[in-house]
Amino acid sequence: MPSRPHFPPPHRHDVLIGLAGLLGGVLMWVMGVHNNQSFLHTPTWLGLIALVVVSAAELLRRSRPLVGLAVGTVALAADILSGGLAVTFLMYTDLVYAAVMYSGPVAARRIPRLCGLLTGLATVVPLAIYSDPLALLVGTFVALLTLTPAWTGAVVRNHREAAEAARLETERVALLAELDRREAVASERSRMARELHDMVANHLSAIAIHSSAALSLRDPAATDEALGVIRENSVRGLAEMRRLIGLLRDPGETAEPAATSTLDALDTLLEQARTNGRPGGQDIVLCDERPDGAAPLPAPVELAAYRIVQESLTNALKHAAPGRVDVTLAHRTDGPLEVSVISPYGESSGPRAPGSGTGLIGMRERVTLLGGTLDAGPVTGPQGMVWRVRAALPLGDESVQSVT
């Protein structure tokens, strides 16, 4: 069976308008208050029926505004023939207003134009037929009955649509701002995690390896040396932690600026790595192929290169087999800064520290922020399998982004 059309219940205000109009119109009809004499000997009780129909049409002013206007127009014609009630005319103007306010956009545009055309005809035709200036009152009456409420509805609807558009735009801007805030928070958390890992992981790895060596060795001299390395890395790690916590607690401009790691401090980093790598049998060698007198590198590039070498040496300390670890820096004219760290690939015979895999993630994030490339994995070299980390860091405008 075909489904019956669904009519939603009328709005409470529409019911009140219909009831108020019905009661007022019945009172005027009982008192005999009509606008004019009836036409063509039409009985006055027809106006009462028209009043009831228009009052019922008010119940459709929101749910079915065009249907309500069509029903109200037929009832208005019957009311005019019976003499006319002012309440019926007033409720009809509300139906015109509601048809513009609550109908679709096409009808809302066409109804005011149709009312304007009807007003023009009601002004010109009677004047042409009767040649009497009083005939202009017909156009005025039609304008008050149709054009005025239609224009009012169009103005109010335009204001409501503009307000709704402004509200939606405000919500969109707020949503974009919230997404930007979340992205900024996520980016900052990622940066903090990367910095914390790069600054502390090296020291903690050395502590873990040397403490394992101190527990396994029975040589007092070797144990004392391991304890010395543990103490040194503990002090440095605590200093780095204090500096980072200080930056997090006091990020204002009055805070003392922290020194940024550069390639000038690479010798100190390699010396520390050599000390930490003795229990595992790693020999760290630096090959700096950068030309003398070259222009200074952008600070973000130097920091990224320093952190990549630091993390690569930390990984070699934790995982590499005994042997030589080669650190190479190369910078050719108009080319990227190339950083390469090659370590023996295989199981370490000495104590090891567990890895989490976040080091490689941090290196890739740094290189990606600079628009460079990173390759990390086992390759076959002249001495067999090695683990190679190779990064190319461009020095163009994209490298100005901060990776700290």
Side-chain angles (χ1 to χ4, degrees), residues 98-383:
V100 178
M101 275 293 299
Y102 304 114
S103 62
V106 176
R109 291 194 302 267
R110 291 180 178 177
I111 290 176
R113 298 173 185 175
L114 183 60
C115 291
L117 177 61
L118 183 62
T119 300
L121 292 176
T123 303
V124 173
V125 173
L127 182 62
I129 294 176
Y130 297 105
S131 300
D132 188 350
L134 292 178
L136 295 175
L137 295 177
V138 178
T140 303
F141 172 75
V142 174
L144 293 175
L145 192 64
T146 60
L147 187 60
T148 301
W151 279 358
T152 303
V155 171
V156 175
R157 179 172 179 141
N158 290 338
H159 279 291
R160 286 190 178 183
E161 290 178 350
E164 179 66 14
R167 185 187 66 82
L168 293 177
E169 179 65 16
T170 301
E171 292 181 355
R172 187 184 71 85
V173 172
L175 178 60
L176 292 177
E178 177 64 16
L179 293 177
D180 290 341
R181 185 192 68 82
R182 292 184 181 181
E183 183 179 355
V185 170
S187 176
E188 183 65 12
R189 292 181 63 178
S190 177
R191 185 188 71 86
M192 291 168 55
R194 188 169 58 243
E195 285 297 315
L196 182 61
H197 177 274
D198 290 345
M199 289 191 300
V200 180
N202 186 40
H203 300 298
L204 295 181
S205 298
I207 291 173
I209 292 175
H210 283 272
S211 61
S212 299
L215 293 174
S216 60
L217 297 177
R218 301 302 179 184
D219 185 2
T223 301
D224 291 342
E225 181 182 357
L227 292 176
V229 174
I230 291 173
R231 183 184 182 281
E232 180 182 357
N233 281 276
S234 300
V235 172
R236 291 181 178 178
L238 287 174
E240 294 286 355
M241 286 290 294
R242 291 193 189 100
R243 185 176 71 85
L244 182 60
I245 292 174
L247 290 175
L248 294 176
R249 287 184 173 178
D250 187 13
E253 297 180 356
T254 57
E256 182 180 356
T260 302
S261 300
T262 64
L263 294 179
D264 293 337
L266 204 57
D267 291 336
T268 303
L269 175 64
L270 295 179
E271 185 60 32
Q272 179 185 353
R274 292 187 183 101
T275 302
N276 296 335
R278 288 172 187 170
Q282 286 91 15
D283 182 22
I284 301 173
V285 178
L286 172 64
C287 180
D288 193 346
E289 299 178 359
R290 293 179 297 169
D292 296 334
L297 299 175
V301 175
E302 286 212 33
L303 175 60
Y306 180 90
R307 293 301 190 196
I308 289 172
V309 173
Q310 182 184 44
E311 179 59 28
S312 299
L313 294 179
T314 300
N315 291 338
L317 178 67
K318 294 191 292 186
H319 306 295
R324 174 170 167 169
V325 178
D326 293 311
V327 179
T328 305
L329 300 177
H331 179 210
R332 296 173 178 82
T333 305
D334 298 331
L337 174 65
E338 297 180 359
V339 181
S340 175
V341 180
I342 300 176
S343 57
Y345 184 72
E347 294 292 336
S348 175
S349 58
R352 298 185 59 188
S356 61
T358 56
L360 286 176
I361 296 176
M363 285 193 290
R364 292 190 185 279
E365 289 176 348
R366 291 185 183 277
V367 174
T368 301
L369 287 174
L370 293 173
T373 58
L374 175 72
D375 296 323
V379 296
T380 303
Q383 291 80 26

Side-chain angles (χ1 to χ4, degrees), residues 13-39:
H13 293 168
D14 300 342
V15 175
L16 293 177
I17 292 175
L19 288 177
L22 179 62
L23 294 177
V26 169
L27 180 61
M28 293 182 66
W29 186 86
V30 171
M31 296 175 61
V33 181
H34 296 277
N35 297 333
N36 301 291
Q37 296 295 326
S38 62
F39 296 93

